[in-house]
Amino acid sequence: MREIGHFIGGKHVPGTSGRYADVYQPMTGEVIAHVALASTDELNAAVANAKAAQPAWAATNPQRRARVLMKFLELVQRDYDKLADLLAREHGKTVPDARGDIQRGLEVVEFAVGIPHLMKGDYSDGAGPGIDIYSMRQALGVVAGITPFNFPAMIPMWKFGPAIACGNAFILKPSERDPGVPMLLAELMLEAGLPPGILNVVNGDKESVDGILDHPDIQAIGFVGSTAIAQYIYARGAANGKRVQGFGGAKNHMIIMPDADMDQAVDALIGAGYGSAGERCMAISVAVPVGEDAAERLLEKLVPRVESLKIGPSTDGSADFGPLVTREAVERVKGYVDLGIKEGAKLLVDGRGFKMQGYENGFYMGGCLFDHVTADMRIYKEEIFGPVLSVVRAPDYHEALRLPTEHEYGNGVAIYTRDGDAARDFASKVNVGMVGINVPIPVPLAYHTFGGWKRSGFGDLNQHGPDGVRFYTKTKTVTSRWPSGIKDGADFVIPTMG
Ligand code: NAD
């Protein structure tokens, strides 16, 4: 059995807490590894290591730091197949989808290669007589990332890429469900020339997370996961004086206007609703056709597509989606389908009974489709995080705009229409952080920033792009006076440049 310990100070170290978790291969249901769960002492040792290594890394000029990232990008290309295979086996998503998970992470590392430019400060020459003002961005010190199971390559890279480029040392606490890929990424960073101690992977559960939240030497925490935990991390981290960004769950709507191209809308819904078995924070889980006629036309095309979804093991590259992450996840999602029926929604496609031939112990379920879901139902209000799409019929555009605007989550939303005026109005008014216009999963590219609103995101800076650099640095502003200095005597009035 593969034993996964921690990666601290540039070395694999075994766990010493005596606590382990099973890592499953969802496509077969087998346990394929044991991962160590760190104690607070182990976490503290990793932080001490990072703290000792960080000043020299921050003092390394940014071009040299960028070169390490460039080499890392090359090494990931070399090992792409191995990484994607392991990711698919531990997570459950298909290998082509696992490749996308890696790719969207690499794009943020590519962006972070521009760090010499991104960290440049501002300069005001002659702000007063003989006075110049300039600002600089400096690394925070030791920072941390706590990441979810559903993007085990992308989200760790979204965090450690910018943080390390900025000159910080990083503690990554990945999901205990699929820790294999984060460990390989840390090995590759070391091979790329990163000094030992700058990227540490501490595997664990609540104990190590609480250790991060309370550690006086950790300056900032980037979290991604479910909303309840995001809020907990935000509150406890902030109470300890840390900078915290906590990204949480979602309920992403797709509005289908009567003038939309229904073939395009259905293609978009099938991919965005069921890809990765719906285990994406930007998955579409609510379809909102506007008007009865649009609803009928949509469902006529959608139902046969959901019925014919191809589910397969993660290594079947032709499958539309693979298994869910754990047996408990399957039970939870099926529980929501049972609940939806009780709440009065109409189940048009029932995937609960799906069995994968030859993989009977795997964590599979088929795609489910509900019609006549209403805003008071729990299946509408709560995040299901599985291959279940709910159709909520809206009588008009205003109701379609109101639904995502008033939902407690505000991660992503999409509108399908040929009407530029409706699209523009929607994008401007909807109370959601990321909007797609004829784009179902509007995950911004690496040089923009990613972040949901309302209970999908706590804290005030987004992930990656310029915000990622802001989050992992602090601004120092210097006001300097050379010619006469303070020789003129003390001044007790607040300085102005008037
Ligand atoms: P999760 O909240 O269970 O776990 C996330 C991290 O928190 C893991 O590292 C886990 O070990 C840790 N954790 C879990 N329980 C904890 C506790 N009680 N105390 C302290 N730490 C704890 O989330 P998950 O199931 O791994 O991921 C799925 C969730 O993540 C979904 O809700 C999804 O929408 C969300 N997500 C959000 C985004 C986003 O950017 N908004 C992106 C991806 C996933």
Side-chain angles (χ1 to χ4, degrees):
M1 183 66 65
R2 192 159 53 100
E3 300 284 335
I4 304 173
H6 313 293
F7 193 80
I8 298 173
K11 288 195 285 284
H12 284 279
V13 296
T16 56
S17 71
R19 295 195 309 122
Y20 286 88
D22 290 334
V23 177
Y24 286 89
Q25 175 168 268
M27 71 174 173
T28 56
E30 289 165 275
V31 175
I32 52 167
H34 292 142
V35 61
L37 302 176
S39 64
T40 313
D41 287 346
E42 288 172 291
L43 184 262
N44 291 346
V47 177
N49 213 292
K51 192 180 176 191
Q54 191 266 335
W57 177 242
T60 303
N61 76 55
Q63 270 178 300
R64 284 178 189 270
R65 296 201 304 263
R67 283 184 201 130
V68 172
L69 299 182
M70 288 185 218
K71 184 72 191 168
F72 171 78
L73 291 169
E74 208 181 295
L75 295 175
V76 173
Q77 294 302 330
R78 182 195 71 192
D79 291 355
Y80 221 123
D81 292 343
K82 176 176 143 190
L83 289 160
D85 183 76
L86 180 65
L87 197 159
R89 284 177 191 280
E90 289 188 359
H91 175 283
K93 64 179 74 175
T94 62
V95 171
D97 201 29
R99 296 181 76 86
D101 186 330
I102 297 166
Q103 176 59 26
R104 291 304 296 257
L106 290 180
E107 289 169 9
V108 171
V109 178
E110 287 167 357
F111 172 77
V113 165
I115 202 66
H117 176 71
L118 292 165
M119 280 184 79
K120 278 196 305 201
D122 296 322
Y123 195 100
S124 297
D125 171 49
I131 293 178
D132 307 318
I133 303 178
Y134 58 96
S135 63
M136 57 181 101
R137 294 204 160 270
Q138 294 190 328
L140 299 176
V142 181
V143 298
I146 302 166
T147 54
F149 81 84
N150 69 328
F151 281 99
M154 179 182 88
I155 296 179
M157 284 191 261
W158 282 11
K159 304 288 183 199
F160 75 65
I164 288 176
C166 290
N168 299 288
F170 199 84
I171 307 286
L172 173 65
K173 206 305 282 171
S175 170
E176 60 274 45
R177 307 207 195 297
D178 43 16
V181 169
M183 293 291 274
L184 291 183
L185 294 175
E187 270 179 29
L188 291 179
M189 283 289 275
L190 192 81
E191 190 183 339
L194 191 71
I198 299 300
L199 176 55
N200 305 279
V201 184
V202 176
N203 283 306
D205 55 3
K206 182 170 168 55
E207 181 170 345
S208 47
V209 171
D210 286 349
I212 290 172
L213 293 172
D214 295 340
H215 201 297
D217 289 332
I218 293 182
Q219 308 299 329
I221 300 171
F223 172 87
V224 180
S226 52
T227 287
I229 310 297
Q231 188 165 16
Y232 165 73
I233 303 274
Y234 182 63
R236 186 155 164 177
N240 286 326
K242 298 183 196 312
R243 191 177 285 193
V244 186
Q245 51 174 205
F247 295 99
K251 198 79 179 177
N252 307 313
H253 297 56
M254 182 167 133
I255 314 303
I256 300 108
M257 295 295 287
D259 69 336
D261 179 322
M262 281 301 162
D263 291 315
Q264 271 180 15
V266 167
D267 274 343
L269 267 177
I270 277 286
Y274 299 95
S276 199
E279 291 175 323
R280 291 181 183 142
C281 68
M282 289 291 276
I284 295 289
S285 49
V286 181
V288 185
V290 176
E292 284 305 309
D293 176 59
E296 294 307 326
R297 286 186 290 124
L298 177 77
L299 285 167
E300 192 187 317
K301 289 180 188 284
L302 187 59
V303 171
R305 294 289 295 275
V306 180
E307 283 170 340
S308 58
L309 280 166
K310 184 176 176 206
I311 298 138
S314 314
T315 46
D316 176 358
S318 70
D320 295 326
F321 64 89
L324 275 73
V325 66
T326 55
R327 185 162 286 121
E328 296 72 56
V330 177
E331 292 314 314
R332 195 197 65 244
V333 176
K334 286 184 180 171
Y336 270 113
V337 179
D338 299 342
L339 174 69
I341 295 167
K342 278 202 206 96
E343 290 184 309
K346 191 168 171 207
L347 187 63
L348 299 182
V349 184
D350 184 357
R352 285 172 298 175
F354 178 83
K355 288 268 175 293
M356 187 71 219
Q357 225 185 346
Y359 295 83
E360 281 75 11
N361 293 322
F363 310 141
Y364 298 91
M365 70 174 282
C368 297
L369 179 65
F370 274 115
D371 191 11
H372 296 292
V373 175
T374 53
D376 56 338
M377 294 180 185
R378 275 183 57 203
I379 60 161
Y380 173 76
K381 291 184 191 157
E382 298 174 19
E383 183 182 47
I384 299 177
F385 222 55
V388 181
L389 184 63
S390 295
V391 175
V392 178
R393 296 173 178 231
D396 54 31
Y397 168 74
H398 299 288
E399 174 66 4
L401 170 64
R402 192 183 67 78
L403 285 164
T405 295
E406 292 187 0
H407 201 284
E408 69 168 320
Y409 294 120
N411 216 35
V413 69
I415 183 167
Y416 269 66
T417 181
R418 291 178 175 134
D419 183 327
D421 178 51
R424 219 177 145 263
D425 188 72
F426 183 79
S428 160
K429 291 188 179 148
V430 71
N431 190 17
V432 171
M434 292 171 282
V435 182
I437 298 175
N438 298 318
V439 170
I441 303 193
V443 175
L445 287 186
Y447 38 96
H448 287 266
T449 68
F450 180 107
W453 288 5
K454 297 180 282 182
R455 290 180 62 73
S456 296
F458 300 86
D460 58 0
L461 285 171
N462 278 357
Q463 314 187 75
H464 72 61
D467 268 10
V469 175
R470 288 185 196 112
F471 183 73
Y472 286 117
T473 54
K474 55 194 169 190
T475 305
K476 182 181 280 176
T477 309
V478 180
T479 305
S480 79
R481 173 152 69 174
W482 287 106
S484 57
I486 55 168
K487 289 200 291 290
D488 293 343
D491 192 342
F492 293 95
V493 177
I494 187 157
T496 63
M497 300 299 168

